[in-house]
Amino acid sequence: MSETTAPATPASAPVVAESATARGRRARIALRGLQVLLALFYAIPSALPKLIAHPSAAESFEKLGWGSAGMYIIGVLELAGAVALLIPVLQSVAAIALSALMVGAFIVQIAVFDGQYAATPLILIVPLALIAWARRGHNADLLRLLGRRA
């Protein structure tokens, strides 16, 4: 056997070769699934209690001194972000905006609520940052659309 001859692979060993397009397709599907999950999270357990003035949400905003107006504003922002995460041209901007909202939530958790749930907004920033980066190409599309309207 010469040095240039590679050893033969057993006939029963499957050769696994994945094309870049198949891998990319799975990544796009996974990212889309993540966006749907985050949109559901922001719409239902996060925005909905604020928008229906659930006592737990109202109590938290009263403690902040923001009252019902602040509660409704944050609820509307979260719901708008959830919807925008599902609209292709708005996905990146929505992820950035929701990340900014989570930075504010983190600060409030630390300053007012003694950090009881401070990890939650930080954890949510990670997938939002991934979405913002992965969907950044849509920002140019959004700017073109806005440029046409101006």
Side-chain angles (χ1 to χ4, degrees), residues 63 105-122:
K63 185 174 181 180
F106 172 74
I107 292 168
V108 166
Q109 288 295 327
I110 294 294
V112 178
F113 298 108
D114 300 323
Q116 185 177 5
Y117 298 108
T120 302
L122 292 180

Side-chain angles (χ1 to χ4, degrees), residues 54-80:
H54 189 272
S56 64
E59 180 183 315
S60 296
F61 280 88
E62 285 301 323
K63 185 174 181 180
L64 282 169
W66 294 2
S68 61
M71 178 179 63
Y72 291 127
I73 289 169
I74 298 296
V76 166
L77 290 173
E78 288 176 342
L79 184 60

Side-chain angles (χ1 to χ4, degrees), residues 34 38 42 85 91-92 94-100 102 121 123-133:
L34 179 61
L38 282 171
Y42 278 104
L85 275 176
Q91 294 167 348
S92 180
I96 292 167
L98 286 169
S99 293
M102 291 301 98
I123 291 168
L124 289 169
I125 287 173
V126 173
L128 288 169
L130 173 67
I131 292 166
W133 181 80

